[in-house]
Amino acid sequence: MASTRSDPTSDPIEDDWWEQHSRQTPESWSDITSIMWHSMSTTSKAVSSLGFKNLAFGCMALAQKHATESDKIEGQEVQVDAQELDFWLHYLRLAKSASLVDEDALIRELCAEDDGSIELIHFKPKADALVPSYFIIAEHQRRSITLVVRGTNSFKDLLTNVCAHCEPFDGGGYVHYGMLQSCRNILSTEMGNFQELLLSWAGYELHFVGHSLGGGTAALMATTLRSTPALLARLGNPHVHATTIGCPPVMTYELALSCVPYVRSMVCDHDMVARTSVLSISKLGLEMEACKDEGVVKE
């Protein structure tokens, strides 16, 4: 493995597009508290159906109803070849590595991957408000500049998750506010770095990887660059894509469909994170209320 490089990040990019969005980034805990209050007051209206009666009786009724029904899983069995399996195992290990907080430990972990052909470029071990932890590597064997974002692992990450109200997205649709701001903050910091790296290693792709919160942020970073030609052109128009593990619902349906060609996602069985959103909680509350009213369980 090549020796690590010093952090080559430059000042945030300065163009009309970025100036428009940087003004939305909170700069103090007071701003963050205000955003959280707005988010919680907004989302509480959507989950108002989760009252005490619905939780106490509707949950029991729903459990009894589902006990008499079998789950129907639609889809086709997928045959995974060795190359595909290697791809997922590799990025699962990288996503797991993002939980490390010691740079030497991270380097040792990366040395075991791809015959030591991975070079650590930058490591941000601690999360900030609306900026999760992440690291950047050059995967020379795969010809990729890869940014790996850590999942929820601190109180500050939890704040990012709680800022769950919808924000309009430039490419159309709506997205999770907290993860969108994380996406913008990381891109703002690292665009200069990406430019330098992609110039040094011509033909490399730009790959965003993450688990849970990191997966949502990674998907939004790829989508932001893909839907903003001016930003992509700054980087020399590389191939941009994302790989997510246990990614939460972070965008509206139509926008998610548009990401299918360049965002790959893996979800383990009935992982709640990948199915939990303000909308799904609201639907759950309505379903529990309907079951309670059907009299499956008597009050």
Side-chain angles (χ1 to χ4, degrees):
M1 175 178 171
S3 61
T4 59
R5 294 172 50 182
S6 59
D7 177 12
T9 54
S10 64
D11 293 333
I13 58 176
E14 297 178 357
D15 58 18
D16 292 340
W17 186 92
W18 202 258
E19 289 179 2
Q20 175 186 354
H21 293 87
S22 62
R23 290 192 297 270
Q24 300 179 20
T25 303
E27 299 180 352
S28 68
W29 279 102
S30 176
D31 294 335
I32 296 170
T33 301
S34 176
I35 293 170
M36 287 181 58
W37 178 258
H38 168 71
S39 182
M40 294 177 69
S41 62
T42 301
T43 55
S44 64
K45 298 175 183 177
V47 297
S48 58
S49 57
L50 287 177
F52 174 77
K53 283 188 175 181
N54 288 346
L55 287 173
F57 300 104
C59 186
M60 295 167 57
L62 189 60
Q64 288 187 11
K65 180 179 179 181
H66 282 209
T68 62
E69 299 176 354
S70 59
D71 291 335
K72 295 180 180 180
I73 301 176
E74 299 180 356
Q76 298 178 346
E77 184 177 354
V78 177
Q79 299 296 327
V80 180
D81 58 27
Q83 185 176 0
E84 180 78 1
L85 184 60
D86 173 73
F87 174 91
W88 282 109
L89 288 175
H90 173 70
Y91 288 108
L92 281 167
R93 286 192 288 264
L94 286 186
K96 181 181 179 182
S97 298
S99 63
L100 298 172
V101 296
D102 179 72
E103 184 169 325
D104 290 336
L106 176 60
I107 292 174
R108 288 194 298 271
E109 190 77 16
L110 295 175
C111 281
E113 292 293 319
D114 282 354
D115 300 323
S117 64
I118 296 177
E119 181 176 352
L120 179 63
I121 306 299
H122 176 54
F123 179 36
K124 183 183 185 305
K126 294 184 179 180
D128 295 316
L130 299 180
V131 189
S133 170
Y134 62 91
F135 63 83
I136 300 173
I137 55 177
E139 299 190 82
H140 297 297
Q141 183 174 331
R142 298 172 188 260
R143 296 180 60 80
S144 172
I145 304 301
T146 304
L147 187 151
V148 183
V149 190
R150 188 181 70 185
T152 303
N153 197 42
S154 70
F155 177 71
K156 292 179 179 178
D157 291 328
L158 185 61
L159 295 181
T160 301
N161 291 325
V162 169
C163 294
H165 63 278
C166 292
E167 177 82 354
F169 187 72
D170 290 334
Y174 292 85
V175 299
H176 185 287
Y177 176 87
M179 295 184 200
L180 177 63
Q181 290 304 315
S182 296
C183 152
R184 289 173 175 170
N185 289 336
I186 294 175
L187 287 179
S188 177
T189 301
E190 300 295 349
M191 279 295 287
N193 201 359
F194 291 151
Q195 285 178 287
E196 179 182 326
L197 295 170
L198 291 168
L199 183 63
S200 299
W201 294 306
Y204 277 39
E205 64 185 21
L206 186 55
H207 190 186
F208 299 101
V209 178
H211 164 253
S212 189
L213 161 65
T217 304
L220 286 173
M221 285 194 284
T223 305
T224 295
L225 290 179
R226 283 272 194 157
S227 61
T228 314
L231 291 181
L232 201 56
R234 279 182 177 271
L235 303 176
N237 295 302
H239 175 61
V240 175
H241 62 120
T243 299
T244 74
I245 299 98
C247 180
V250 293
M251 58 185 73
T252 46
Y253 181 71
E254 291 76 13
L255 182 57
L257 286 180
S258 71
C259 300
V260 170
Y262 57 86
V263 176
R264 304 178 72 181
S265 298
M266 173 183 286
V267 176
C268 180
D269 292 333
H270 301 291
D271 183 4
M272 281 186 58
V273 172
R275 296 169 173 84
T276 302
S277 65
V278 174
L279 179 60
S280 65
I281 293 174
S282 176
K283 287 183 175 180
L284 175 62
L286 293 174
E287 187 174 1
M288 287 194 297
E289 183 175 13
C291 286
K292 176 177 68 68
D293 292 341
E294 287 176 3
V296 180
V297 171
K298 301 296 182 181
E299 298 185 23

